[in-house]
């Protein structure tokens, strides 16, 4: 039978509040006392009661919604102007703002690339405003990015795979699953010679997940599937035409939202599907990456870590994958 907080407190010679703080890894207790209390709890066989945990979670949620804590949404690259012009960025930050409000937080935006703003200065600004929870945006203009804030002060979650150092908990789209879903849906429509084209920067940033799934689950043998893959190193019309003549796809799957964003127009007999569906092009079939769900998951994760007082760079970072949805050419699922 598990012991109580009172029994641990009596054994350790401390208050029940100190025991509670030690078990929840909260501030207000020395490291030495925390280690000693945890050892006593382990020896006495302490196990948390899930019903009590549920009640405390409800109480914390009620308290959180009455606070005015602020989350920082930090754009890893880009400017206020480029963010304002990007429908993806706008959907991401609006969904994050909405979810933060539901959790009792407000959300403020910051830009790492702002002129004369150093990492040290941004850390000082966030600290002076009492902001301790950060969401780092996806990297969209480079392959990878790095950031160097005073991380020990903050609870941090990253969106996307572009920010490689430091390695935080992250939320990102399940690219491998999306390619499997796209291939399955295109096969249902009768396509066999499914071609795939992608820019090398984007492919590298996502650890080539799309390429791996494409080759692993293509309906044709591996050698033919490899010929149907075009990584656009030479991103020009002549290179596209040469690939189309060699591969002879009946449908092209690409990372751009619409076929007119490719180096050249596709012939009328070749269909197109996208791995990055947006409502700007509702008549294009493809994968909706569910950006709003991605943003909500990032807010949920960072607020949970924040209330658990988990600051700094995690020893064992976790990744949360958000799956996409297939959209037909009429924009419906």
């Amino acid at each position: 039978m598990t012991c109580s907080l009172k029994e641990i407190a009596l054994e350790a010679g401390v208050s029940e509040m100190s025991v509670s703080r030690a078990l929840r890894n909260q501030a207000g207790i020395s490291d030495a006392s925390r280690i000693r209390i945890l050892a006593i709890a382990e020896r006495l066989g302490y196990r948390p009661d899930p019903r009590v945990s549920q009640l405390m979670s409800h109480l914390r949620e009620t308290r959180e919604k009455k606070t005015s804590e602020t989350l920082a949404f930090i754009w890893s690259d880009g400017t206020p102007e480029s963010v304002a012009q990007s429908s993806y960025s706008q959907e991401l930050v609006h969904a994050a703002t909405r979810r933060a409000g539901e959790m009792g937080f407000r959300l403020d935006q910051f830009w790492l690339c702002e002129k004369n703003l150093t990492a040290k200065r941004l850390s000082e600004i966030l600290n002076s405003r009492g902001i301790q929870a950060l969401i780092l945006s996806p990297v969209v203009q480079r392959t990878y990015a790095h950031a160097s804030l005073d991380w020990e002060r903050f609870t941090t979650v990253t969106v996307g795979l572009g920010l490689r150092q430091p390695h935080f908990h992250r939320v990102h789209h399940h690219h491998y699953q999306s390619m499997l879903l796209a291939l399955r849906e295109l096969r249902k429509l009768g396509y066999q010679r499914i071609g795939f084209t992608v820019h090398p920067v984007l492919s590298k940033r996502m650890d080539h997940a799309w390429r791996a799934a494409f080759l692993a689950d293509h309906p044709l043998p591996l050698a033919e599937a490899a010929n149907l893959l075009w990584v656009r190193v030479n991103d020009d019309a002549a290179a596209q035409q040469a690939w189309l003549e060699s591969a002879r796809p009946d449908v092209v799957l690409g990372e751009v939202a619409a076929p007119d964003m490719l180096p050249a127009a596709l012939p009328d007999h070749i269909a197109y599907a996208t791995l990055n569906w947006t409502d700007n092009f509702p008549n294009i079939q493809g994968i909706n990456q569910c950006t709003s769900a991605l943003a909500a998951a990032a807010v949920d994760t960072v607020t949970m870590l924040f209330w658990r007082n988990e600051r700094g760079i995690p020893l064992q970072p976790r990744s949360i994958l958000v799956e996409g949805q297939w959209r037909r050419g009429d924009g419906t699922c």
Side-chain angles (χ1 to χ4, degrees):
M1 183 175 180
T2 186
C3 66
S4 66
L5 296 186
K6 184 176 181 179
E7 290 174 284
I8 299 173
L10 289 172
E11 178 77 13
V14 297
S15 68
E16 291 183 45
M17 178 59 72
S18 294
V19 173
S20 177
R21 286 173 174 168
L23 294 174
R24 290 187 289 153
N25 196 30
Q26 286 188 323
I29 184 171
S30 69
D31 289 341
S33 295
R34 188 191 318 277
I35 293 171
R36 188 168 63 87
I37 292 169
L38 291 175
I40 291 172
E42 177 72 17
R43 177 164 53 82
L44 295 179
Y46 173 76
R47 296 291 183 273
D49 187 332
R51 292 168 297 180
V52 174
S53 298
Q54 184 181 32
L55 174 60
M56 294 306 297
S57 176
H58 170 72
L59 293 174
R60 281 195 298 272
E61 181 180 353
T62 303
R63 181 186 66 196
E64 289 162 15
K65 292 183 177 180
K66 293 180 180 179
T67 66
S68 56
E69 295 283 357
T70 300
L71 301 180
F73 194 98
I74 300 177
W75 293 98
S76 303
D77 59 5
T79 64
E81 292 74 24
S82 64
V83 168
Q85 294 171 3
S86 167
S87 59
Y88 168 78
S89 297
Q90 288 301 299
E91 182 180 359
L92 189 71
V93 74
H94 287 161
T97 302
R98 182 168 59 251
R99 184 58 175 161
E102 293 170 356
M103 300 293 289
F105 290 76
R106 58 171 291 173
L107 186 142
D108 286 346
Q109 299 179 67
F110 300 86
W111 283 264
L112 278 177
C113 297
E114 186 175 335
K115 188 177 180 181
N116 299 324
L117 182 64
T118 63
K120 180 181 178 181
R121 178 57 183 152
L122 179 55
S123 294
E124 292 172 348
I125 291 172
L126 295 171
N127 192 53
S128 68
R129 297 187 186 180
I131 300 175
Q132 295 179 294
L134 318 179
I135 297 175
L136 301 179
S137 81
V139 175
V140 295
Q141 298 183 3
R142 292 171 286 174
T143 305
Y144 301 130
H146 305 277
S148 56
L149 275 66
D150 187 3
W151 299 117
E152 293 306 312
R153 298 181 180 183
F154 306 114
T155 300
T156 309
V157 168
T158 303
V159 179
L161 294 169
L163 188 72
R164 291 305 171 99
Q165 294 295 332
H167 195 182
F168 293 111
H169 301 301
R170 67 177 68 246
V171 176
H172 62 94
H173 178 64
H174 197 340
H175 296 99
Y176 194 97
Q177 177 270 343
S178 286
M179 176 59 79
L180 298 181
L181 176 60
L183 291 173
R184 183 168 66 245
E185 293 296 332
L186 291 173
R187 287 198 298 267
K188 287 181 182 178
L189 294 172
Y191 297 111
Q192 286 291 310
R193 299 195 62 80
I194 303 170
F196 171 47
T197 178
V198 64
H199 194 280
V201 170
L202 183 58
S203 184
K204 185 177 180 180
R205 185 189 303 147
M206 65 177 62
D207 298 326
H208 308 294
W210 276 338
R211 294 175 63 179
F214 177 79
L215 295 173
D217 201 50
H218 199 280
L220 298 178
L222 180 59
E224 289 188 70
N227 192 44
L228 283 156
L229 168 64
W230 177 38
V231 180
R232 298 195 307 275
V233 178
N234 297 317
D235 203 352
D236 57 52
Q240 177 175 307
Q241 182 61 30
W243 172 65
L244 292 175
E245 291 176 358
S246 172
R248 296 177 291 106
D250 48 21
V251 61
V252 169
L253 186 60
E255 89 282 12
V256 294
D260 58 8
M261 297 178 181
L262 293 172
L266 291 176
D268 291 341
H269 67 279
I270 299 178
Y272 182 77
T274 179
L275 291 160
N276 189 21
W277 184 92
T278 75
D279 54 13
N280 292 330
F281 302 97
N283 295 326
I284 304 296
Q285 62 188 346
I287 297 291
N288 178 4
Q289 296 191 11
C290 302
T291 305
S292 294
L294 198 69
V299 172
D300 290 347
T301 303
V302 78
T303 53
M304 176 192 69
L305 296 169
F306 173 77
W307 288 119
R308 282 165 41 183
N309 288 303
E310 296 192 22
R311 310 285 189 260
I313 301 170
L315 293 176
Q316 294 181 306
R318 297 186 295 272
S319 291
I320 297 174
L321 300 178
V322 176
E323 297 191 0
Q325 296 177 331
W326 179 259
R327 294 281 181 168
R328 299 196 294 263
D330 58 4
T332 61
C333 294

